[in-house]
Amino acid sequence: MKGLIVTADDFGAAVEVNRAVEAAHRGGILTAASLMVSAPAAGDAVARAKLVPSLRIGLHVVLVEGRPQLPAYAIPHLVDRSGAFRSDMGRLGMLLCASRRARLELASEITAQFAAFQATGLKLDHCNAHKHFHLHPIIGRLIVSIGLRFGLQGVRIPLEPIGVLRKVETCTSRSQALITNPFARILRGRARGLGLTSPDAVFGLRWSGQMTKERIGGLIRHLPEGLSEIYLHPATGPYAGSAPGYRYQDEFAALIDPEVAALCRDSQIRLGGFGDFRTPAAAPPARMDSVA
Protein backbone atom coordinates (compact mmCIF):
# COMPACT_ATOMS: atom_id res chain seq x y z
CA MET A 1 0.00 0.00 0.00
CA LYS A 2 1.18 3.51 -0.87
CA GLY A 3 0.12 6.40 1.32
CA LEU A 4 -0.09 9.87 -0.23
CA ILE A 5 -0.48 13.28 1.39
CA VAL A 6 -1.09 16.15 -1.06
CA THR A 7 -0.42 19.46 0.66
CA ALA A 8 -0.83 23.11 -0.30
CA ASP A 9 1.60 25.49 1.37
CA ASP A 10 1.10 29.21 2.11
CA PHE A 11 -2.57 28.81 3.08
CA GLY A 12 -3.59 32.28 4.23
CA ALA A 13 -1.07 34.18 2.13
CA ALA A 14 -3.85 35.62 -0.06
CA VAL A 15 -7.49 35.03 -0.96
CA GLU A 16 -6.27 33.71 -4.33
CA VAL A 17 -4.40 30.96 -2.49
CA ASN A 18 -7.32 30.21 -0.18
CA ARG A 19 -9.80 29.88 -3.03
CA ALA A 20 -7.51 27.43 -4.82
CA VAL A 21 -7.00 25.38 -1.67
CA GLU A 22 -10.71 25.06 -0.99
CA ALA A 23 -11.55 24.21 -4.60
CA ALA A 24 -8.67 21.73 -4.93
CA HIS A 25 -9.91 19.85 -1.88
CA ARG A 26 -13.58 19.91 -2.82
CA GLY A 27 -13.02 18.94 -6.45
CA GLY A 28 -9.50 17.55 -6.64
CA ILE A 29 -6.82 15.54 -4.88
CA LEU A 30 -5.68 18.03 -2.23
CA THR A 31 -5.82 16.49 1.24
CA ALA A 32 -3.96 18.99 3.44
CA ALA A 33 -2.95 22.64 3.72
CA SER A 34 -0.33 24.46 5.79
CA LEU A 35 -1.57 27.70 7.39
CA MET A 36 0.52 30.86 7.79
CA VAL A 37 -1.10 32.25 10.94
CA SER A 38 0.26 35.79 10.54
CA ALA A 39 -0.39 36.12 6.82
CA PRO A 40 -2.80 38.75 5.41
CA ALA A 41 -5.61 36.32 4.55
CA ALA A 42 -5.21 33.92 7.49
CA GLY A 43 -8.70 34.72 8.80
CA ASP A 44 -10.26 33.91 5.44
CA ALA A 45 -8.27 30.67 5.31
CA VAL A 46 -9.50 29.58 8.74
CA ALA A 47 -13.12 30.32 7.79
CA ARG A 48 -12.79 28.22 4.62
CA ALA A 49 -11.07 25.38 6.49
CA LYS A 50 -14.01 25.15 8.89
CA LEU A 51 -16.35 24.68 5.91
CA VAL A 52 -14.37 21.62 4.76
CA PRO A 53 -13.44 19.68 7.93
CA SER A 54 -12.06 16.79 5.87
CA LEU A 55 -9.18 19.06 4.79
CA ARG A 56 -6.28 18.44 7.18
CA ILE A 57 -4.72 21.69 8.36
CA GLY A 58 -1.21 22.18 9.68
CA LEU A 59 1.02 25.09 10.67
CA HIS A 60 3.41 26.62 8.15
CA VAL A 61 5.93 28.12 10.58
CA VAL A 62 7.26 31.38 9.13
CA LEU A 63 10.58 32.70 10.46
CA VAL A 64 11.90 34.40 7.34
CA GLU A 65 10.40 36.78 4.75
CA GLY A 66 7.09 37.30 6.52
CA ARG A 67 5.42 38.98 9.48
CA PRO A 68 5.92 37.66 13.02
CA GLN A 69 3.19 36.79 15.45
CA LEU A 70 4.94 38.63 18.29
CA PRO A 71 5.60 42.39 18.27
CA ALA A 72 8.96 43.34 16.79
CA TYR A 73 10.27 44.72 20.09
CA ALA A 74 9.96 41.23 21.63
CA ILE A 75 12.12 39.55 18.98
CA PRO A 76 14.68 42.16 17.84
CA HIS A 77 17.22 39.55 16.70
CA LEU A 78 14.71 37.99 14.29
CA VAL A 79 13.36 41.05 12.50
CA ASP A 80 14.59 43.92 10.34
CA ARG A 81 13.99 47.64 10.80
CA SER A 82 10.51 47.38 9.29
CA GLY A 83 9.45 44.79 11.85
CA ALA A 84 9.32 41.98 9.28
CA PHE A 85 11.34 38.82 9.56
CA ARG A 86 14.86 39.01 8.19
CA SER A 87 15.60 37.57 4.75
CA ASP A 88 19.28 36.68 5.33
CA MET A 89 18.76 33.05 6.31
CA GLY A 90 22.47 32.23 6.44
CA ARG A 91 23.38 35.06 8.82
CA LEU A 92 20.31 34.43 10.95
CA GLY A 93 21.18 30.74 11.16
CA MET A 94 24.66 31.57 12.43
CA LEU A 95 23.27 34.08 14.92
CA LEU A 96 20.98 31.43 16.39
CA CYS A 97 24.01 29.24 17.02
CA ALA A 98 25.93 32.07 18.70
CA SER A 99 23.29 33.97 20.68
CA ARG A 100 21.26 32.54 23.53
CA ARG A 101 19.06 35.65 23.45
CA ALA A 102 18.23 34.99 19.80
CA ARG A 103 17.35 31.38 20.63
CA LEU A 104 15.02 32.50 23.41
CA GLU A 105 13.30 34.90 21.00
CA LEU A 106 13.02 32.09 18.46
CA ALA A 107 11.37 29.78 20.99
CA SER A 108 8.92 32.53 21.96
CA GLU A 109 7.95 33.23 18.34
CA ILE A 110 7.50 29.56 17.47
CA THR A 111 5.35 29.12 20.59
CA ALA A 112 3.27 32.16 19.62
CA GLN A 113 2.61 30.74 16.15
CA PHE A 114 1.49 27.39 17.55
CA ALA A 115 -0.70 29.21 20.08
CA ALA A 116 -2.25 31.31 17.30
CA PHE A 117 -3.05 28.14 15.39
CA GLN A 118 -4.59 26.60 18.50
CA ALA A 119 -6.76 29.71 18.93
CA THR A 120 -8.37 29.07 15.53
CA GLY A 121 -10.05 25.95 16.89
CA LEU A 122 -8.68 23.85 14.02
CA LYS A 123 -7.11 20.48 14.72
CA LEU A 124 -3.35 20.55 14.23
CA ASP A 125 -2.48 17.88 11.67
CA HIS A 126 1.17 18.71 10.91
CA CYS A 127 3.78 21.42 10.66
CA ASN A 128 6.55 22.50 8.33
CA ALA A 129 8.52 25.70 7.87
CA HIS A 130 8.66 28.37 5.20
CA LYS A 131 11.66 27.74 2.95
CA HIS A 132 12.32 24.55 4.97
CA PHE A 133 14.05 26.61 7.65
CA HIS A 134 13.30 23.81 10.12
CA LEU A 135 16.28 21.96 8.62
CA HIS A 136 18.41 24.27 10.77
CA PRO A 137 19.08 21.99 13.78
CA ILE A 138 18.10 24.56 16.40
CA ILE A 139 14.89 25.57 14.60
CA GLY A 140 13.90 21.98 13.87
CA ARG A 141 14.47 20.89 17.47
CA LEU A 142 12.36 23.73 18.83
CA ILE A 143 9.53 23.29 16.33
CA VAL A 144 9.23 19.60 17.14
CA SER A 145 9.43 19.95 20.93
CA ILE A 146 7.11 22.97 21.11
CA GLY A 147 4.71 21.46 18.57
CA LEU A 148 4.25 18.35 20.70
CA ARG A 149 2.89 20.53 23.49
CA PHE A 150 0.16 21.67 21.08
CA GLY A 151 -0.81 18.18 19.88
CA LEU A 152 1.40 18.01 16.80
CA GLN A 153 0.94 14.76 14.85
CA GLY A 154 3.32 14.99 11.92
CA VAL A 155 6.12 16.99 10.37
CA ARG A 156 7.41 17.33 6.83
CA ILE A 157 10.98 16.14 6.38
CA PRO A 158 12.12 17.18 2.89
CA LEU A 159 13.86 14.03 1.62
CA GLU A 160 13.19 13.78 -2.12
CA PRO A 161 14.30 10.55 -3.87
CA ILE A 162 16.22 11.49 -6.99
CA GLY A 163 15.48 8.08 -8.52
CA VAL A 164 11.75 8.83 -8.62
CA LEU A 165 12.32 12.30 -10.09
CA ARG A 166 14.45 10.83 -12.86
CA LYS A 167 11.71 8.38 -13.78
CA VAL A 168 9.60 11.45 -14.52
CA GLU A 169 12.34 13.64 -16.04
CA THR A 170 15.60 11.83 -16.77
CA CYS A 171 17.89 14.89 -16.63
CA THR A 172 16.95 15.98 -13.11
CA SER A 173 19.90 17.22 -11.03
CA ARG A 174 20.48 16.12 -7.44
CA SER A 175 22.63 19.11 -6.39
CA GLN A 176 20.11 20.56 -3.94
CA ALA A 177 19.60 17.23 -2.17
CA LEU A 178 23.33 16.92 -1.48
CA ILE A 179 23.08 20.02 0.72
CA THR A 180 19.78 19.38 2.50
CA ASN A 181 19.65 15.60 2.95
CA PRO A 182 22.09 15.27 5.90
CA PHE A 183 20.11 17.81 7.94
CA ALA A 184 16.81 16.24 6.89
CA ARG A 185 17.88 12.77 8.01
CA ILE A 186 18.86 14.07 11.44
CA LEU A 187 15.50 15.80 11.85
CA ARG A 188 13.54 12.76 10.64
CA GLY A 189 15.27 10.56 13.21
CA ARG A 190 14.40 13.01 15.95
CA ALA A 191 10.78 13.44 14.86
CA ARG A 192 10.12 9.73 14.52
CA GLY A 193 11.83 9.07 17.83
CA LEU A 194 9.24 11.37 19.43
CA GLY A 195 6.37 9.52 17.76
CA LEU A 196 5.64 12.03 15.00
CA THR A 197 4.57 10.93 11.53
CA SER A 198 6.97 11.94 8.77
CA PRO A 199 6.77 10.79 5.15
CA ASP A 200 9.35 8.45 3.72
CA ALA A 201 9.54 10.65 0.62
CA VAL A 202 8.61 14.27 -0.07
CA PHE A 203 8.19 15.77 -3.54
CA GLY A 204 8.13 19.47 -4.34
CA LEU A 205 11.67 20.68 -3.65
CA ARG A 206 13.31 20.30 -7.05
CA TRP A 207 10.25 21.57 -8.94
CA SER A 208 9.05 24.12 -6.40
CA GLY A 209 6.47 26.37 -8.04
CA GLN A 210 6.60 24.26 -11.19
CA MET A 211 4.49 21.24 -10.20
CA THR A 212 2.62 20.83 -13.46
CA LYS A 213 0.03 18.22 -14.37
CA GLU A 214 2.70 16.18 -16.16
CA ARG A 215 5.05 16.18 -13.19
CA ILE A 216 2.35 15.39 -10.62
CA GLY A 217 0.98 12.62 -12.83
CA GLY A 218 4.47 11.20 -13.28
CA LEU A 219 5.13 11.24 -9.54
CA ILE A 220 1.87 9.44 -8.81
CA ARG A 221 2.60 6.81 -11.45
CA HIS A 222 6.03 6.17 -9.90
CA LEU A 223 5.03 6.67 -6.28
CA PRO A 224 7.34 4.62 -4.02
CA GLU A 225 6.16 2.21 -1.36
CA GLY A 226 5.49 3.73 2.04
CA LEU A 227 4.21 7.21 2.84
CA SER A 228 4.85 10.09 0.42
CA GLU A 229 3.95 13.77 0.46
CA ILE A 230 3.58 15.96 -2.60
CA TYR A 231 3.41 19.65 -1.79
CA LEU A 232 2.46 22.54 -4.06
CA HIS A 233 1.67 26.26 -4.08
CA PRO A 234 -1.70 26.57 -5.82
CA ALA A 235 -3.49 29.88 -6.37
CA THR A 236 -6.17 31.14 -8.72
CA GLY A 237 -3.79 33.86 -9.91
CA PRO A 238 -0.87 36.09 -8.91
CA TYR A 239 -1.16 37.99 -5.64
CA ALA A 240 0.78 40.55 -3.62
CA GLY A 241 3.97 38.90 -2.42
CA SER A 242 3.78 35.94 -4.81
CA ALA A 243 7.08 34.48 -5.96
CA PRO A 244 8.31 35.44 -9.44
CA GLY A 245 8.19 32.54 -11.88
CA TYR A 246 5.93 30.34 -9.79
CA ARG A 247 3.21 28.68 -11.88
CA TYR A 248 0.46 29.01 -9.30
CA GLN A 249 -2.45 28.55 -11.68
CA ASP A 250 -0.83 25.54 -13.37
CA GLU A 251 -0.34 23.90 -9.98
CA PHE A 252 -3.98 24.57 -9.11
CA ALA A 253 -5.04 23.12 -12.46
CA ALA A 254 -2.97 19.99 -11.81
CA LEU A 255 -4.74 19.38 -8.51
CA ILE A 256 -8.20 19.41 -10.09
CA ASP A 257 -7.27 17.67 -13.35
CA PRO A 258 -9.51 14.60 -14.01
CA GLU A 259 -6.59 12.51 -15.30
CA VAL A 260 -4.56 13.18 -12.17
CA ALA A 261 -7.58 12.35 -10.01
CA ALA A 262 -8.02 9.07 -11.88
CA LEU A 263 -4.44 8.09 -11.05
CA CYS A 264 -5.19 8.54 -7.35
CA ARG A 265 -8.09 6.10 -7.57
CA ASP A 266 -5.59 3.26 -7.87
CA SER A 267 -6.47 0.62 -5.27
CA GLN A 268 -2.86 0.64 -4.05
CA ILE A 269 -2.94 4.36 -3.17
CA ARG A 270 -4.51 5.77 -0.02
CA LEU A 271 -4.95 9.54 0.30
CA GLY A 272 -5.05 11.44 3.57
CA GLY A 273 -3.40 13.88 5.95
CA PHE A 274 -0.58 13.25 8.39
CA GLY A 275 -2.95 12.28 11.19
CA ASP A 276 -4.64 9.71 8.96
CA PHE A 277 -1.35 7.81 8.74
CA ARG A 278 -0.38 8.14 12.39
CA THR A 279 0.61 4.88 14.04
CA PRO A 280 -1.43 3.82 17.08
CA ALA A 281 1.63 3.77 19.34
CA ALA A 282 1.60 6.63 21.82
CA ALA A 283 4.25 9.29 21.45
CA PRO A 284 6.70 9.88 24.33
CA PRO A 285 5.88 12.76 26.67
CA ALA A 286 6.64 16.15 25.16
CA ARG A 287 9.22 18.38 26.76
CA MET A 288 10.65 21.79 26.03
CA ASP A 289 14.22 21.55 24.75
CA SER A 290 16.78 23.85 26.28
CA VAL A 291 17.75 26.86 24.20
CA ALA A 292 21.02 27.34 26.07
Side-chain angles (χ1 to χ4, degrees):
M1 182 64 69
K2 301 175 181 180
L4 177 59
I5 303 166
V6 184
T7 309
D9 280 357
D10 299 349
F11 193 34
V15 172
E16 291 85 353
V17 175
N18 300 347
R19 287 172 179 160
V21 168
E22 182 181 0
H25 179 66
R26 289 184 183 274
I29 66 168
L30 190 72
T31 61
S34 302
L35 175 67
M36 306 168 84
V37 292
S38 300
D44 177 79
V46 171
R48 291 175 189 271
K50 290 180 177 180
L51 295 175
V52 282
S54 54
L55 179 65
R56 308 309 186 203
I57 307 296
L59 174 63
H60 195 52
V61 177
V62 178
L63 298 168
V64 61
E65 296 180 2
R67 305 298 303 188
Q69 187 67 26
L70 293 175
Y73 67 79
I75 49 170
H77 290 84
L78 307 185
V79 298
D80 60 23
R81 292 181 179 179
S82 73
F85 282 124
R86 297 165 52 160
S87 58
D88 54 344
M89 292 176 64
R91 289 172 63 89
L92 178 56
M94 289 189 289
L95 177 63
L96 292 172
C97 294
S99 169
R100 184 174 186 272
R101 181 65 233 176
R103 294 193 294 274
L104 289 169
E105 292 174 17
L106 174 69
S108 296
E109 174 62 25
I110 292 171
T111 301
Q113 291 190 31
F114 274 105
F117 186 100
Q118 186 179 66
T120 68
L122 297 170
K123 183 176 180 180
L124 179 62
D125 179 70
H126 63 274
C127 76
N128 48 59
H130 192 48
K131 293 186 176 291
H132 303 298
F133 210 6
H134 61 314
L135 290 182
H136 187 293
I138 292 171
I139 296 173
R141 185 177 74 242
L142 287 173
I143 285 177
V144 166
S145 60
I146 293 169
L148 283 168
R149 291 163 42 201
F150 288 89
L152 183 64
Q153 300 186 72
V155 59
R156 175 187 299 157
I157 310 295
L159 284 164
E160 190 171 48
I162 186 65
V164 177
L165 298 183
R166 287 177 175 168
K167 289 178 181 178
V168 181
E169 293 183 7
T170 57
C171 296
T172 302
S173 167
R174 66 179 303 162
S175 57
Q176 184 179 21
L178 294 174
I179 299 171
T180 60
N181 279 3
F183 298 100
R185 290 193 179 98
I186 292 170
L187 182 57
R188 183 166 69 180
R190 178 174 182 79
R192 289 182 173 179
L194 291 170
L196 292 172
T197 298
S198 64
D200 302 297
V202 171
F203 301 101
L205 285 79
R206 182 64 182 82
W207 299 325
S208 184
Q210 313 293 325
M211 296 289 276
T212 60
K213 167 189 170 180
E214 292 74 21
R215 285 172 169 167
I216 297 236
L219 290 172
I220 295 171
R221 289 187 185 93
H222 299 289
L223 205 65
E225 293 294 328
L227 179 59
S228 298
E229 181 187 12
I230 297 175
Y231 73 92
L232 308 90
H233 301 84
T236 57
Y239 57 91
S242 57
Y246 268 39
R247 299 171 64 176
Y248 294 100
Q249 290 167 285
D250 288 341
E251 294 201 351
F252 173 42
L255 289 169
I256 60 174
D257 186 85
E259 294 179 17
V260 172
L263 292 172
C264 291
R265 288 195 286 271
D266 186 315
S267 62
Q268 293 301 306
I269 296 177
R270 178 190 167 202
L271 289 168
F274 282 75
D276 298 307
F277 296 102
R278 189 166 171 80
T279 59
R287 66 178 181 85
M288 178 64 183
D289 276 8
S290 170
V291 297

